[in-house]
Amino acid sequence: MKEQLTSILEKTLNDIKAAESFEALDSIRVNVLGKKGELTAILKQMGKLDPEMRPVIGALANEVRQTLETALEEAKAVMTEKATTAKLVREAIDVTMPGTAPVIGKKHPTSIVLDEICDIFTGIGFTIADGPEVELDYYNFEALNIPKGHPARDEQDTFYISDNIVLRTQTSPMQIRTMENKKPPIRILAPGRVFRSDALDATHSPVFHQIEGLVVAKGITMGDLKGTLELFAKRLYDEDTKVRFRPHHFPFTEPSAEMDVQCFKCGGKGCSLCKGEGYIEILGCGMVHPKVLEVCGIDPDEYTGFAFGMGLERLVMRKYKIDDIRLLSENDVRFLNQF
Amino acid sequence: MKLPYKWIKEYVDVNVDPKTYAHKMTMSGSKVEGYECLGDVFSNVVMGRVEEIKQHPAADRLVVCQVNVGKEENIQICTAATNLKTGDYIPVAMHGAKLPGGISIKKTKMRGEESNGMFCSIAELGVTLNDFPNAIEDGILVFDEPTNLGEDVKPYMGLDEIIFEFEITPNRPDCLSAIGLAKETAATFGLPFKGHEPEIKETEGDINDYISVKIESDLCARYTGALVKDVKIEPSPMWMRQRLRDCGIRPINNIVDITNYVMLEYGQPMHAFDYSCITDKEIVVRTAKPGEQIETLDGNMRDLPENALVIADKVRAIGVAGVMGGANSEITENTKMIAFEAGNFNGVSVRNTSRKLGMRTEASGRFEKGLDAEKTMPAIKRALELVEMLGAGKVVGGLTDVYPNPKQQRVLPVEYDKINALIGIELSNEEIDKYLNMVECFVENGMAKIPFYRDDIERTADLAEEVARLYGYDMIPSTINAGETTQGGYTDAQKFEKNIKTLSMGLGYSEMMTLSFIGEKVFDKLHLAENDAKRIATVIMNPLGEDQKLMRTTSVHSALEIVARNYNFNAPMVKLFEIAKTYSPKLDENGKADMSVLPDEYKILTMANYGAGDFFAIKGAVEALFKALSIKNFTFEPCKDNVMYHPGRTAVIMTGDKVFGTIGQIHPVVAKEYGIDTEVYMAEIDTAVMFQLHEGEKVYKALPKFPAATRDLALLVNEDVPVIHLENAIREVGGKMLEDVKLFDVFRHEKLGEGKKSVAFSLTLRNSDHTITDEEVDKVIRKALINLEKKCGAALRS
């Protein structure tokens, strides 16, 4: 019996070594270790043995079983690993082929710059205000110290709906609408569409965007106006941006100014872009005119403020070096996809 | 406003280079838009005199000249010019001279004879007959008067001038003049202003014997007149013509040029009438009579607008006040006596008249900004002084000056603390006084006397601006966020809109920005019925054109135009969105647009695509968007009657019985109108309603503890029953246990029978207390089937 066991062990170990599939291993296991297997058959004859031989043979039989089981497991593991490796080889792909990306839409360049500006100002205490695009003459002009017949009306070619209704030519009416409804301190930014009767060409559009800003509180100075707008310019462009403030005139601010940034192209030396001036105008601003505060029921002796307004499209065109404003409203996807 | 540097220098000793001048003036408030050095076009051209002319020995068409250019020896120059004679003073381009057009002059030999330079014609020096009316166009320029030989010719030609172009803001009409800008120059550079008092040396007779003036309208604050007799009409001298040209005004004759010269110098527009054309020696300033006409100096017959202010004599209008004179009293070669006018006319009135007549002139542009009535007197005196200086006629003694309400000088208290506080600086009272004195707001005992010509200075803020700009805006220290702090940020609605944009982009839609105008033809293009409400639009009274006359009532047109543009460029796929407004007028009781009140403005999300899938692709995008934004309580209902859309592929989006959006395929016929030959899908949704329907605050719901059961139902139903009705029939009776109903198949086959379809749903059921039992599931299914049968005629497919 001992010999039988040894020979089964040897034969089976050889069979395992020779096996090439999981099925072969499985049949070996069944044939040797199964209920009807060779080893089981031998064990069933144990009863015929001498009692003193039984433990010896029993131990030997167990050892054979364990050895075979271990060998089977190991063989399986090796085979699994081989199979896995083979599968991975089969599954190899050309990773240099392009991905199947979902299409993600693009933000309009005008929106990109607008969002950037709104983020800058909300970060320093401004809220965003919104109002009608078809506006009362009162808000667009009268309350802003531009009575009927005022020459400033000529500078803003106005679309009229009726004698007292216009398409707003500026976002400044939001100053009035805000001050009528809100007590100081006020810090608002009012972006939006404005309209002027300029025919569409490379540099003009009858519909464009302005961004209006208004601050009213106790003790606001022109220094605050300068500091706030300098900070804005540095955030929008970069830390080294140089700006200058020049006296100007707007009916609804006094004193008034225009802010120029140093020309990006020539660094202030003067070139074709800045028409030799070294600076490019980007916005108009000033201290809120006391008459405007009064119209809104705010006491100019108690409160002061500043306001500013800028044209968005010009900032966008400068940022992306776009030379034709029509590209912004044509919405050619080949254009939009560039941003 | 264009102004030559030399004119400014007549009034103030400013002596800086043009670049520095331009910069400083810009920074003190008179923005210099650019400057031009007239003489830059050529160099090294000097004055010469022809001393001898001889025939060229080897060329018939050439002469050899000896020319005195102020040196010890004459130089020899050959020329083909034929208009020269000995003794002529001419411009000589010397060896090394540069002429316009990149031409350089060098010593050369012409047919063997030395030629050491070139005589110049006006064209060769870059000037025209307009500048030198006496020159011969194709000959050498010969100067009228002897000059210093060898000197640069530019001063003699008026070309050593630098012309600045100023941008003058409408509050400073005083700066539309040489004197105004000279005063600004003086203030800017801290230099004294050298004023000039016009003097008339000799007069003859008394004006009152010749004319009287009457003002009949308060639109004329002042009318000052003068007379000149024995007038000799001729060209004005070179220096005056040159000044006018430098400022962009065409010289005409001595009298007209004087009026323009004074306007440029003093900022006071003037006019000269032919005295003989004034009927009955009387000038009346009045408003136009109904139907009154006048032929203006430009030769056009014009209907005078109602309330237009005119200058008239006893019987007829002879000028449109502040705009243009009448042809009937024009200065001509035969004029013997003239009447000068320096008036002060109401700005708004002049502006309205000039707009209505469609004529803007140098004069009207000044009047409409509101001029200082004190100006008429010095201006008219200056004109008379120039008449004497030019020998243009004899000044009649006296002036007619009608000035019913003489101006009072404004005096303002100088609120030093307020000025400092507004600017954010700390100047002493003396410094503030100093700056105010520089702009002739002379301060005495804390009170500033505002000069008459500064009507724009009304209160402390205006004084503060004067101080700030002379102190220097750049000197004001920058500070940030003074005053009470405020919390910045976006409102919920603004954040919501930002989310719509971000999500739309995530869904593959790119943002477009379209214009807001449409024309009436658009409604036909969109096939809207005659009585469609969308045709009622806000109308622009003064549109750029018929196609831009209305504020859009729908975003579909703008989107289709953009889609079509991309389609024409062969873009294979387009997915675009925009959030922008449409405008709907309020209606009056007759159902007509009421243009006396503001229209309603709707912020609409428009999505448009082609080449990006079918109806369910855009619907899926909208559903995904709504889900991401937590929008609740909406349904899609079939919509067959929107003519812009495909009747079988369109839905309205509703909440309750309110429609807040439309989604579908654009009607192929409409798409074709835009030249699009493919299926275009569009969604238009009111973002304000989206915002109302979105669930803002979220509360966590416990995750289920017990497993769910699923059951599939395949239903046989008539083709025309919408799937949503089946789904609703199931949900209505599903109770708490019905967790979800999902469509997973729609199947049509002849075996099912004519006009039938099979619709399969997967139902998810769950009991929150225990694992749901088969009996519970069956009970729900039974109820659902009964309701499906009842509401939709649907049966379980066997």
Side-chain angles (χ1 to χ4, degrees), chain B residues 66-81:
Chain B
Q66 301 304 317
V67 188
N68 182 343
V69 287
K71 294 187 180 155
E72 282 181 17
E73 283 186 28
N74 291 346
I75 61 166
Q76 175 171 309
I77 291 175
C78 300
T79 181

Side-chain angles (χ1 to χ4, degrees), chain A residues 97-167:
Chain A
M97 280 164 50
T100 46
V103 177
I104 300 205
K106 296 285 193 155
K107 201 186 262 189
H108 194 283
T110 309
S111 268
I112 297 175
V113 178
L114 174 60
D115 288 355
E116 221 175 290
I117 293 171
C118 288
D119 285 347
I120 292 170
F121 281 102
T122 51
I124 50 172
F126 284 67
T127 48
I128 309 294
D130 190 14
E133 294 171 10
V134 184
E135 184 57 286
L136 294 172
D137 184 281
Y138 175 78
Y139 287 112
N140 196 72
F141 291 123
E142 295 276 351
L144 288 163
N145 198 23
I146 314 174
K148 287 213 157 73
H150 193 285
R153 290 195 177 208
D154 281 343
E155 292 174 7
Q156 306 182 359
D157 295 316
T158 310
F159 287 117
Y160 282 88
I161 301 299
S162 66
D163 283 346
N164 65 338
I165 296 179
V166 299
L167 302 187

Side-chain angles (χ1 to χ4, degrees), chain A residues 105-106 111 119 125-126 128 133-134 154 158 160 187 193 222 224 226 230 254 256 291 301 331 333, chain B residues 351 355 418 422 465 473 476 478-479 482 484 486 490 494 505 511 514 516 541-542 566 583 601:
Chain A
K106 296 285 193 155
S111 268
D119 285 347
F126 284 67
I128 309 294
E133 294 171 10
V134 184
D154 281 343
T158 310
Y160 282 88
R187 275 189 188 81
R193 275 182 195 230
M222 237 180 130
D224 299 328
K226 279 185 69 184
E230 274 165 12
E254 188 76 29
S256 305
K291 282 186 194 168
D301 287 330
N331 299 292
V333 290
Chain B
R351 176 174 180 270
R355 283 177 81 98
K418 266 198 187 172
L422 189 62
E465 178 169 79
Y473 279 12
I476 300 168
S478 296
T479 48
E484 285 173 79
T486 44
Y490 301 97
Q494 287 159 354
M505 289 186 281
E511 190 184 11
T514 60
S516 316
M541 284 163 72
N542 54 335
N566 285 292
Y583 314 80
E601 298 182 6

Side-chain angles (χ1 to χ4, degrees), chain A residues 103-108 110-111 115 118-119 122 124-136 148-155 158-165 167 177 184-187 193 195-200 205-207 209 217-228 230-231 243-249 254-258 269 275-277 281 287 289-291 294 300-301 303-304 328-334 336-337, chain B residues 19 23 26-29 31-33 167 169-171 347-348 351-352 355 360 368-369 418 420-424 458-459 461-466 468-469 473-491 494 497-498 501 504-517 538-544 548 551-552 562 565-566 569 571 573-581 583 595-599 601 603:
Chain A
V103 177
I104 300 205
K106 296 285 193 155
K107 201 186 262 189
H108 194 283
T110 309
S111 268
D115 288 355
C118 288
D119 285 347
T122 51
I124 50 172
F126 284 67
T127 48
I128 309 294
D130 190 14
E133 294 171 10
V134 184
E135 184 57 286
L136 294 172
K148 287 213 157 73
H150 193 285
R153 290 195 177 208
D154 281 343
E155 292 174 7
T158 310
F159 287 117
Y160 282 88
I161 301 299
S162 66
D163 283 346
N164 65 338
I165 296 179
L167 302 187
R177 285 185 176 271
I186 292 169
R187 275 189 188 81
R193 275 182 195 230
F195 307 84
R196 298 210 185 157
S197 66
D198 284 319
L200 190 64
S205 172
V207 184
H209 293 77
K218 283 180 185 159
I220 296 292
T221 69
M222 237 180 130
D224 299 328
L225 160 76
K226 279 185 69 184
T228 305
E230 274 165 12
L231 178 80
V243 302
R244 70 174 190 190
F245 291 82
R246 252 181 317 105
H248 197 70
H249 170 73
E254 188 76 29
S256 305
E258 277 186 333
K269 287 190 205 102
K275 292 176 192 145
E277 283 190 56
E281 181 236 316
M287 302 304 290
H289 200 293
K291 282 186 194 168
E294 280 162 4
D301 287 330
Y303 295 100
T304 51
L328 296 172
S329 58
E330 282 170 354
N331 299 292
D332 189 319
V333 290
R334 295 168 302 181
L336 296 177
N337 283 338
Chain B
K19 189 169 180 181
H23 173 73
T26 295
M27 295 309 284
S28 73
K31 192 183 181 207
V32 175
E33 303 218 286
E167 181 199 4
T169 52
N171 60 324
V348 177
R351 176 174 180 270
N352 287 339
R355 283 177 81 98
R360 290 205 60 192
E368 62 180 45
K369 291 176 179 74
K418 266 198 187 172
N420 275 324
L422 189 62
I423 305 173
E458 295 177 313
R459 54 201 294 172
D462 303 313
L463 291 175
E465 178 169 79
E466 298 305 306
R469 70 189 182 92
Y473 279 12
D474 278 1
M475 300 286 291
I476 300 168
S478 296
T479 48
I480 283 182
N481 250 6
E484 285 173 79
T485 53
T486 44
Q487 159 117 44
Y490 301 97
T491 61
Q494 287 159 354
E497 191 181 314
K498 278 166 99 76
K501 288 188 178 182
S504 298
M505 289 186 281
L507 290 164
Y509 285 79
S510 287
E511 190 184 11
M512 59 179 164
M513 283 198 177
T514 60
L515 306 184
S516 316
F517 304 134
T538 305
V539 184
I540 299 167
M541 284 163 72
N542 54 335
L544 285 172
Q548 300 176 62
M551 298 305 284
R552 64 181 173 200
I562 302 302
R565 161 177 285 275
N566 285 292
F569 286 130
M573 179 200 76
V574 161
K575 292 167 85 175
L576 292 167
F577 83 97
E578 177 177 34
I579 297 180
K581 284 179 174 174
Y583 314 80
M595 298 297 177
S596 66
V597 290
L598 296 184
E601 298 182 6
K603 245 187 194 174

